[in-house]
Amino acid sequence: NAGVTQTPKFRVLKTGQSMTLLCAQDMNHEYMYWYRQDPGMGLRLIHYSVGEGTTAKGEVPDGYNVSRLKKQNFLLGLESAAPSQTSVYFCASSLDRRSSGNTIYFGEGSWLTVV
Amino acid sequence: DQQVKQNSPSLSVQEGRISILNCDYTNSMFDYFLWYKKYPAEGPTFLISISSIKDKNEDGRFTVFLNKSAKHLSLHIVPSQPGDSAVYFCAAIQGAQKLVFGQGTRLTINP
């Protein structure tokens, strides 16, 4: 998973707290994504970005906000954490619009628990 | 609405035999399909892909088959090795590079 770095790797939050997950990539990729992985649900797209300064909603955007102020960084924010947001979060990046999928690189994941 | 489905949450295969992982999809607009492999505490990594204009793609021990009329694809691993034990995700691309994933199948290769 070289090239995509997520911080923090682990975090425990209390209900109602806020936090930000940071994703950084050093491959000059245009596209960046945030997914969450839950048991029996696969990976679901939360938000994505097709370039610096742009963001768009994915399948499950509610309760999350994102920002892409710099091309290399994609931030995922939880304004008021809820237990339903306990999950493993994966950031990913890709080079271009019609790449074949094998140029989508994932980070190692961030484990978030909301109590 | 689950557009990509992997109906088998787990599969156990003996080392050296063939592993067959299945995936069904509902959206006929998908034009590219991929398989990702995931080890615990790591992010998914790309394994093999297939375009909707093909029905088979092979890469070493891994072969993906696509049946568009049945909206079904499968991943064959032969021979299966202990290092193949992982969770396998089927995924499909629609439009602007938005991957849609299945639920995953946990493959265990028994020695």
Side-chain angles (χ1 to χ4, degrees):
Chain A
N1 296 325
V4 180
T5 305
Q6 296 178 224
T7 54
K9 197 169 180 67
F10 301 96
R11 183 76 185 268
V12 178
L13 280 179
K14 292 183 179 179
T15 297
Q17 284 186 318
S18 63
M19 77 157 295
T20 300
L21 294 173
L22 170 64
C23 177
Q25 53 94 4
D26 59 4
M27 297 172 283
N28 203 34
H29 284 172
E30 290 293 334
Y31 284 62
M32 295 188 74
Y33 318 80
W34 275 106
Y35 286 88
R36 59 178 288 174
Q37 182 192 6
D38 302 292
M41 301 294 290
L43 288 93
R44 293 181 293 171
L45 183 63
I46 305 171
H47 285 280
Y48 66 102
S49 168
V50 301
E52 181 179 320
T54 73
T55 62
K57 294 181 180 180
E59 300 173 69
V60 288
D62 294 342
Y64 305 95
N65 57 74
V66 288
S67 64
R68 183 99 181 267
L69 298 179
K70 293 182 179 180
K71 186 176 183 179
Q72 64 267 33
N73 296 335
F74 194 30
L75 279 65
L76 178 71
L78 285 73
E79 290 187 346
S80 179
S84 61
Q85 294 177 303
T86 294
S87 187
V88 183
Y89 292 85
F90 289 97
C91 177
S93 70
S94 66
L95 183 62
D96 57 26
R97 180 185 176 90
R98 283 305 304 168
S99 67
S100 59
N102 58 340
T103 54
I104 296 177
Y105 296 92
F106 283 83
E108 293 187 336
S110 296
W111 275 254
L112 176 64
T113 301
V114 183
V115 297
Chain B
D1 179 29
Q2 191 81 23
Q3 296 187 69
V4 178
K5 298 181 182 180
Q6 293 175 258
N7 293 316
S8 298
S10 63
L11 176 67
S12 185
V13 175
Q14 192 170 4
E15 181 179 0
R17 307 293 285 267
I18 184 171
S19 296
I20 301 176
L21 295 97
N22 294 303
C23 179
D24 296 296
Y25 62 95
T26 58
N27 188 344
S28 59
M29 299 302 291
F30 288 141
D31 56 4
Y32 214 91
F33 302 90
L34 308 95
W35 285 93
Y36 278 79
K37 179 178 181 179
K38 184 183 178 304
Y39 291 118
E42 294 183 10
T45 55
F46 171 78
L47 188 59
I48 192 169
S49 63
I50 188 168
S51 165
S52 61
I53 63 173
K54 296 186 176 181
D55 55 16
K56 177 182 175 180
N57 187 29
E58 192 171 353
D59 184 3
R61 296 185 299 113
F62 304 92
T63 303
V64 56
F65 295 92
L66 175 63
N67 182 335
K68 283 195 298 181
S69 61
K71 294 191 176 66
H72 177 84
L73 66 156
S74 61
L75 174 68
H76 292 210
I77 306 173
V78 55
S80 301
Q81 300 174 353
D84 296 330
S85 294
V87 177
Y88 290 79
F89 290 99
C90 169
I93 289 182
Q94 176 191 9
Q97 194 67 306
K98 290 189 291 181
L99 281 183
V100 180
F101 285 87
Q103 306 95 313
T105 297
R106 182 177 302 278
L107 175 65
T108 302
I109 306 301
N110 301 309

